[in-house]
Amino acid sequence: EIDFLGSSMEFAADNDSTSGGFSCLPADFDSLLDIFDQLLDSPLFPEDKIETVRGQMLAEIAARNDDAGGVADRESARAYFGVEDPRVRRQEVATVNAIQREDLLVFHRVSYGSRRALITVYGDFAESEVLNRLEDYFGAWLVQSAKPVEVPINVPASYRQVFLLDRDD
């Protein structure tokens, strides 16, 4: 439907934020806002898409030691901060394989919502109409129950060490 309208929509997430947006003609704003709201508020997480992403993640894990510089960066950060620090978490085969659709639904329910959300609109539109539409969609947006993840701001005391990483191949 998005392609049919000549529009685009995207969502992205990184370690500390998630973003989403769409681009459309003014006449299609309500249609795209409806789709955006559905994806934002009630994602389906279809099993076939989960398996596609799982396969991509497993391929990334299998290839993560192919670049010596990447290995050095990753492992030096883990040695510096400690393997339990959230800044150096990494995906493992067992954890990726353990993720189920229900896990994603629960994570979405407690982690996504209005807390610290920012909505930006730009383009050719009547301000009052767009504000009313946004209020219709997001005015009663639930605040999620999970607290924000606390990322440590302290770094280990300065020290000098040498770490050697041995590759099996």
Side-chain angles (χ1 to χ4, degrees), residues 156-167:
S158 179
Y159 62 90
R160 184 176 290 195
Q161 293 184 21
V162 175
F163 297 94
L164 298 177
L165 225 58
D166 186 25
R167 284 180 45 169

Side-chain angles (χ1 to χ4, degrees), residues 28-162:
D28 299 325
F29 180 77
D30 284 343
S31 297
L32 266 288
L33 186 59
D34 188 49
I35 295 168
F36 186 78
D37 180 57
Q38 289 173 29
L39 293 172
L40 187 65
D41 195 42
S42 306
L44 297 177
F45 297 113
E47 291 288 346
D48 61 327
K49 299 297 183 189
I50 293 171
E51 291 310 314
T52 298
V53 173
R54 186 186 320 276
Q56 293 167 344
M57 293 170 76
L58 293 172
E60 289 172 7
I61 291 169
R64 73 178 166 207
N65 291 334
D66 292 348
D67 172 39
V71 172
D73 288 345
R74 180 185 72 233
E75 296 304 323
S76 63
R78 289 171 61 85
Y80 182 73
F81 291 111
V83 296
E84 298 302 319
D85 190 292
R87 292 171 285 197
V88 296
R89 287 185 185 143
R90 67 180 183 198
Q91 299 160 348
E92 300 294 350
V93 171
T95 54
V96 169
N97 282 332
I99 297 170
Q100 301 300 313
R101 180 176 181 273
E102 183 61 28
D103 300 321
L104 300 174
L105 291 167
V106 169
F107 179 79
H108 180 271
R109 186 171 46 250
V110 300
S111 301
Y112 286 88
S114 63
R115 181 184 61 232
R116 299 182 66 190
L118 170 67
I119 298 174
T120 305
V121 180
Y122 62 92
D124 183 17
F125 57 85
E127 180 180 344
S128 61
E129 289 178 26
V130 169
L131 288 174
N132 288 337
R133 300 298 297 143
L134 293 175
E135 183 64 34
D136 290 344
Y137 279 92
F138 303 113
W141 202 11
L142 295 177
V143 176
Q144 61 276 51
S145 60
K147 294 180 180 172
V149 175
E150 295 293 328
V151 177
I153 57 172
N154 297 334
V155 296
S158 179
Y159 62 90
R160 184 176 290 195
Q161 293 184 21
V162 175

